[in-house]
Amino acid sequence: MSSPRSQSPLVSPIEPNGHRWTDWIFSFFWLRLAFFLSVVYERIPGLFSNGRHPLEYMDDHAFFSFDASNTLTVQRYHQLPAWNPYWCGGTVGIAGPEDNFFGADIILRLLFDVGIARHMLAILGLVLAAEGTYRLARSMGSSGLASTGAALIYMLNSTVYPLWLGNGFLNFVLGFGLLPWVLWCFIQGIERPGYRYLGGFFFAWIFVHAGTYPAPYTLLTIGFLTVSLAVLMRNEGKAAWTKPFVSAIVLGAVFLVLAQAKFLPLVMFLKQFSRTWLPIEQLPAGTILGIFSQAHVPLLILAGLAPLTRDRWAVVCTLGAGLFFVVSMGDFDPLSPYHLLKQLPLFKQLRTPERHVILVLLFLSCGAARFVTVLEDAVAQFVAWLLGSDSVRALPSPIRATSVLAGTLAVALVLGPRYTQMLKDASAQFSNVVFTFEPPRHMGGEFRQHRGNRRDGHIFPAINAGSLACITGIPVTQSRLLRGDLAQEEYPLDPALATVRRVRWTPNEIELAVDARRATRVLINQNHHKYWRSSVGVVVSHQGLLAIDVPAGSHRVRLRFVDRPMQVGVALSLLGLAWLAVVAAAYARRRWRAIRAAFVTPSGGPSPAQSAAPESATALPTVAVPSADEPPSDDVVPEEPLIEPVEPTADEPAEQRSEPPSDGGSPESTAVEPTPAPSADAPSGEPSTPATPPREDNDE
Amino acid sequence: MNLSAHPVFVRARALIASLWAHAERSWGAPEKPRSPVIVVLALAAHLAAFAVFYRQAKQSLGPLIRTPALPPVPASTPMTRFGMTEAVRREIFRELAASEIAERQRAISQNTWNGHAWSRFDDLGYVQRARGRELAMRYSVSLTQVYLVLDEGIRERWPGPDGQPLSPLVEPLQLRTE
């Protein structure tokens, strides 16, 4: 059994990863994806049918319209959708908070019909949610089985996802599906900088994919985890508490660079228009609890019991669940967390505090996974105690394998039906996810404004028309002069003074032939915006309408929408992506070298990777990792690090790992063997680098 | 001049080398070498896992991806536009206009939204959507065709039941803050 810690108030009774060979079954990435996909397929069949149809709810039609106009702008006009003339009589495109153009999932919308792409996006969001939660729970040291359970609960949690999916809030579905990935990368990034970059990428994806709520919530969650881990790691070595901050700061910096393509234009947009939300929202605790169904009771019990094990991650998860539960209760007091949050610039425009329930559920799922892991390990630990063995790892292989299997099977048999019930419950709540509304029919023709209807916004881009009737999360200025009955969309203010003919029309660029007898004003049936530029004359606002004051004479007027902040942002994002590509290439090379080393050198010999790598590459910048050939230094404090040690992987079955002899062995025999417990009077300020290398990413 | 010896080139190369070294370090120590048998078995296992995923994806996503495209709006003919005769189009427009007039009168008589202009206009959209779906079903046309008829009627200033054309204007967006 693990020795209790002398320096940390919280101990982790869970055995280090590695002895639990059953985890190996869950370590196949593609198998997990197939499993999660099959669960979505079975539980939410509505997502897999009526590919071209939108949902019934009106908001889905607006989002459908944004996707359609973006796709149209790229595919037909070969432009970035900086300006969206199809909504409200013209409004910003990419800079708009609800726009998702730069999301990595853009590929789906460009490859498939918008309707099909939106179905696939919902499926992608759910599968990503499951896989991310699995990885997050694993990075907290939970078993493969327990992590899979957590993944399924978060993916089909039946609290908020049915509502978001049913309403077409796919930006929430994808954003909160990516949130566990960011947290996973943040935790991994405490020891391995590569994950900080990856985490920044996922965070940026959340942000650019209309992450109006998921992005601030991600920020909040990282903030909570950073502080929690810093407190918990304060005794793990010199300045160990700074590591979570370093991980968070680098991740945040990478996010900022990658997200610039939307960040800069969005900031400019928000400076111009701000959202006012006056109601004070508060919900009693009972109402929040009511969001959870009866089927969640086992989850609440498991997560509630978890801290009793004094496991550190369980405590973090319980604290997280508790904190976000209180945040969900809204502005019930001037000192309530939600009220304080609302004082911050990013958070003051948010509403609906009960949406934080998604974070409560994420932490509950992961906390429950920790307790399930304790239960799973209990059988093997009992056997070890019975046989007088120091630890499960010291048991003879057949006994260890059998007892681990017995633990996994026992947990699966006892908790399986409860988790299945939760999934069935969720399945019933997803019955509203039916794509039955009539899809748009296409029609060619010149662009013109339609009086429109925001409740059927999906209809208009397909017929190359804008919908003047609209809604946006942040109210933009809409001219009173916009009309849905014009013979031509560009016309002179005084027809007696000039004639105007459209030569070429694209969303971001309009070319007009103007013949003016005197200096006059030409009106365009779209809203004015300060980023419009004209090759002739001056762009002005005519009662909110886009207009140009042109001099007398015949002119070819070229009107262009130039969003400079967006252009700068795109350049910065591309730089960030280039750096990310380098980091990814380094990772691929590392994996390739590992594979090649197996065939180039005799088994057991030094690999070319090791011999060729520069000396600095073998040591992490933030933590000294003892090599397999040298014993850990004596001053290592044998606390289990928050970042778990290497565990068996699909590539590395448990049998292949170097094992200590059954008598406990010497520390030299393995790099992952825990060192002896420190004496109780060990100086607290002594360096205490974790004795294990950082946990490998086993599930890739 | 030897370009590769140029200071700028040398510095750039050193910068790239240092960035690459940092990128390599960022993933931690190199992986331990494994036996060829284990590597081959692991690759085979991953391939098999991928095959399982591919099969599942093909089964579940295949029909979704192959959803046939809907026919476009019928092209105009000498007798029809949007696949309908003018008489049918006028009939549809008249019904749409009737529902709009009724909704405007209801808003005034019931003082809906305490007179908040945008909210009242937004309610028109709600009514229009319901009536549009009903008309699409009744005349066996698509909702898109119904909206095209509405557009044509407004542009051509077709009279509604009250003899007046529908307004081509919209109430500018003004969200409620309460």
Side-chain angles (χ1 to χ4, degrees):
Chain A
M1 301 283 283
S2 301
S3 308
R5 276 168 227 258
S6 57
Q7 297 179 349
S8 171
L10 301 164
V11 293
S12 177
I14 296 177
E15 287 275 340
N17 282 337
H19 75 275
R20 219 181 294 111
W21 68 270
T22 42
D23 289 349
W24 181 73
I25 300 167
F26 296 90
S27 67
F28 288 95
F29 170 66
W30 292 110
L31 270 188
R32 283 198 311 275
L33 280 198
F35 174 63
F36 294 141
L37 181 60
S38 70
V39 172
V40 177
Y41 183 55
E42 193 192 327
R43 295 293 167 195
I44 320 178
L47 284 175
F48 295 86
S49 55
N50 293 342
R52 310 255 172 188
H53 293 246
L55 291 154
E56 283 283 323
Y57 192 63
M58 58 187 173
D59 284 4
D60 185 57
H61 302 179
F63 287 120
F64 193 111
S65 160
F66 302 156
D67 284 350
S69 59
N70 282 350
T71 311
L72 197 65
T73 305
V74 173
Q75 291 181 337
R76 186 184 293 177
Y77 301 107
H78 312 297
Q79 293 173 344
L80 283 179
W83 181 252
N84 179 3
Y86 297 93
W87 197 244
C88 287
T91 181
V92 289
I94 286 165
E98 295 100 343
D99 186 89
N100 59 10
F101 178 74
F102 279 128
D105 46 284
I106 178 70
I107 191 95
L108 289 177
R109 292 190 291 277
L110 293 180
L111 284 177
F112 302 103
D113 172 85
V114 170
I116 294 173
R118 287 183 63 77
H119 281 68
M120 293 181 76
L121 185 61
I123 297 164
L124 177 73
L126 291 171
V127 173
L128 280 175
E131 177 62 18
T133 309
Y134 174 88
R135 284 169 184 259
L136 177 63
R138 292 286 285 139
S139 72
M140 293 177 175
S142 299
S143 70
L145 180 71
S147 302
T148 306
L152 291 176
I153 295 304
Y154 183 68
M155 174 175 72
L156 299 174
N157 61 59
S158 75
T159 53
V160 279
Y161 268 158
L163 179 73
W164 292 343
L165 266 178
N167 288 359
F169 298 169
L170 301 189
N171 54 331
F172 286 7
V173 175
L174 185 76
F176 286 110
L178 288 167
L179 190 148
W181 287 81
V182 180
L183 302 185
W184 168 66
C185 288
F186 161 71
I187 292 169
Q188 295 285 331
I190 290 174
E191 296 295 350
R192 297 212 287 173
Y195 286 93
R196 300 169 193 162
Y197 305 131
L198 195 61
F201 168 77
F202 286 123
F203 195 178
W205 186 358
I206 291 175
F207 181 81
V208 298
H209 189 93
T212 46
Y213 283 80
Y217 283 23
T218 304
L219 196 64
L220 207 58
T221 318
I222 290 178
F224 163 73
L225 275 183
T226 304
V227 173
S228 308
L229 296 188
V231 170
L232 289 174
M233 291 175 79
R234 70 191 183 280
N235 291 329
E236 285 195 353
K238 194 178 174 186
W241 66 272
T242 59
K243 288 183 186 176
F245 284 98
V246 172
S247 184
I249 289 168
V250 175
L251 190 150
V254 174
F255 151 73
L256 265 182
V257 173
L258 287 174
Q260 282 306 312
K262 186 172 178 78
F263 192 86
L264 268 181
L266 178 65
V267 167
M268 295 298 166
F269 173 78
L270 293 178
K271 270 177 73 179
Q272 194 179 359
F273 304 102
S274 64
R275 171 167 164 157
T276 313
W277 184 249
L278 298 176
I280 293 173
E281 298 168 285
Q282 52 177 288
L283 295 105
T287 308
I288 305 292
L289 276 175
I291 295 174
F292 295 93
S293 66
Q294 257 198 337
H296 281 104
V297 172
L299 179 75
L300 294 170
I301 292 173
L302 287 171
L305 288 174
L308 298 180
T309 63
R310 302 183 69 207
D311 170 66
R312 298 199 289 178
W313 275 117
V315 171
V316 170
C317 290
T318 307
L319 281 175
L323 171 68
F324 291 113
F325 186 90
V326 178
V327 175
S328 305
M329 291 169 62
D331 196 350
F332 58 85
D333 190 89
L335 286 177
S336 65
Y338 189 73
H339 181 86
L340 299 175
L341 270 179
K342 292 281 279 182
Q343 311 308 311
L344 301 173
L346 187 62
F347 292 87
K348 72 178 176 190
Q349 301 190 24
L350 303 185
R351 60 191 184 104
T352 326
E354 62 269 27
R355 283 178 181 161
H356 289 88
V357 162
I358 186 83
L359 302 179
V360 177
L361 206 95
L362 178 63
F363 281 111
L364 282 180
S365 305
C366 291
R370 285 302 274 172
F371 190 68
V372 170
T373 307
V374 172
L375 295 179
E376 201 177 331
D377 284 349
V379 174
Q381 288 188 342
F382 177 72
V383 171
W385 172 80
L386 211 60
L387 298 180
S389 179
D390 280 346
S391 69
V392 174
R393 296 166 62 80
L395 283 171
S397 290
I399 296 177
R400 191 180 63 204
T402 313
S403 57
V404 165
L405 180 63
T408 304
L409 285 178
V411 164
L413 284 173
V414 173
L415 294 178
R418 306 288 177 278
Y419 273 68
T420 309
Q421 187 53 46
M422 270 189 268
L423 294 183
K424 279 184 181 164
D425 185 65
S427 177
Q429 294 197 32
F430 277 110
S431 58
N432 64 330
V433 184
V434 280
F435 291 79
T436 49
F437 202 86
E438 192 181 313
R441 305 293 180 99
H442 289 264
M443 194 183 82
E446 286 284 301
F447 173 83
R448 74 278 183 207
Q449 298 288 8
H450 189 296
R451 202 180 66 173
N453 188 342
R454 63 122 167 163
R455 288 180 167 79
D456 283 328
H458 64 298
I459 297 283
F460 303 100
I463 54 174
N464 207 14
S467 174
L468 296 178
C470 71
I471 191 168
T472 56
I474 292 179
V476 292
T477 308
Q478 202 178 7
S479 173
R480 284 195 173 275
L481 299 183
L482 291 164
R483 301 182 68 96
D485 65 343
L486 293 172
Q488 57 181 67
E489 297 290 308
E490 299 84 21
Y491 55 98
L493 179 61
D494 184 351
L497 292 181
T499 59
V500 178
R501 182 173 57 85
R502 179 191 283 182
V503 178
R504 194 172 74 94
W505 186 94
T506 67
N508 294 286
E509 198 173 313
I510 301 167
E511 204 172 321
L512 304 171
V514 179
D515 193 1
R517 280 184 282 282
R518 285 216 315 260
T520 188
R521 183 165 283 186
V522 174
L523 305 178
I524 290 96
N525 195 26
Q526 291 191 45
N527 291 310
H528 172 263
H529 192 282
K530 59 183 179 182
Y531 291 154
W532 279 102
R533 302 278 178 273
S534 175
S535 61
V536 176
V538 184
V539 175
V540 292
S541 167
H542 181 82
Q543 296 178 46
L545 208 62
L546 179 61
I548 326 160
D549 282 340
V550 291
S554 291
H555 311 286
R556 191 57 74 90
V557 180
R558 194 165 157 237
L559 199 59
R560 291 170 63 220
F561 184 79
V562 185
D563 190 340
R564 289 270 178 242
M566 191 198 78
Q567 291 172 347
V568 173
V570 168
L572 286 171
S573 294
L574 286 176
L575 267 180
L577 279 177
W579 168 241
L580 217 61
V582 171
V583 174
Y587 180 78
R589 186 161 178 257
R590 180 176 180 272
R591 297 302 294 252
W592 169 243
R593 276 183 167 187
I595 292 170
R596 205 183 53 172
F599 299 97
V600 172
T601 61
S603 180
S607 72
Q610 278 172 322
S611 55
E615 200 172 310
S616 59
T618 59
L620 289 171
T622 54
V623 62
V625 181
S627 89
D629 299 330
E630 62 184 31
S633 62
D634 289 335
D635 59 3
V636 166
V637 174
E639 289 183 355
E640 286 166 23
L642 280 166
I643 311 305
E644 296 290 338
V646 179
E647 60 182 309
T649 70
D651 294 341
E652 186 187 6
E655 301 81 51
Q656 296 301 315
R657 295 166 50 79
S658 49
E659 296 290 342
S662 56
D663 61 355
S666 65
E668 288 87 348
S669 62
T670 170
V672 294
E673 177 67 11
T675 52
S679 61
D681 56 355
S684 59
E686 217 162 53
S688 54
T689 311
T692 55
R695 184 171 176 271
E696 291 285 334
D697 177 38
N698 299 312
D699 304 318
E700 291 175 40
Chain B
M1 185 185 165
N2 184 4
L3 194 66
S4 64
H6 194 279
V8 173
F9 188 82
V10 170
R11 272 185 205 161
R13 208 168 51 178
L15 179 70
I16 290 168
S18 101
L19 284 175
W20 177 254
H22 177 79
E24 281 202 316
R25 275 201 306 276
S26 69
W27 294 110
E31 293 177 21
K32 282 178 289 184
R34 292 161 185 159
S35 90
V37 177
I38 294 296
V39 171
V40 168
L41 282 178
L43 285 176
H46 279 296
L47 270 177
F50 180 76
V52 171
F53 168 76
Y54 178 76
R55 192 168 174 275
Q56 177 62 43
K58 196 176 164 192
Q59 183 198 339
S60 51
L61 298 176
L64 186 65
I65 292 169
R66 290 192 295 272
T67 310
L70 289 164
V73 174
S76 297
T77 65
M79 297 298 290
T80 64
R81 197 175 179 205
F82 315 133
M84 294 168 275
T85 61
E86 186 174 337
V88 171
R89 298 202 306 276
R90 282 184 179 269
E91 214 171 312
I92 290 173
F93 178 80
R94 197 177 169 81
E95 299 232 23
L96 287 170
S99 64
E100 184 167 325
I101 292 163
E103 174 56 26
R104 285 186 192 274
Q105 285 168 351
R106 185 191 73 87
I108 293 166
S109 66
Q110 295 182 7
N111 191 27
T112 56
W113 301 108
N114 289 324
H116 190 267
W118 180 82
S119 297
R120 283 185 177 182
F121 178 76
D122 195 43
D123 278 353
L124 277 184
Y126 176 83
V127 171
Q128 190 182 74
R129 179 197 201 192
R131 179 52 62 93
R133 291 179 75 173
E134 186 193 319
L135 291 170
M137 283 181 69
R138 199 197 306 165
Y139 289 93
S140 299
V141 294
S142 68
L143 191 59
T144 307
Q145 287 164 287
V146 172
Y147 276 107
L148 284 167
V149 169
L150 176 66
D151 188 48
E152 182 185 21
I154 291 174
R155 285 176 192 280
E156 301 297 329
R157 303 181 68 76
W158 286 346
D162 59 353
Q164 297 298 312
L166 285 184
S167 167
L169 304 175
V170 295
E171 193 58 43
L173 180 61
Q174 190 196 352
L175 295 179
R176 294 182 298 275
T177 54
E178 296 285 351

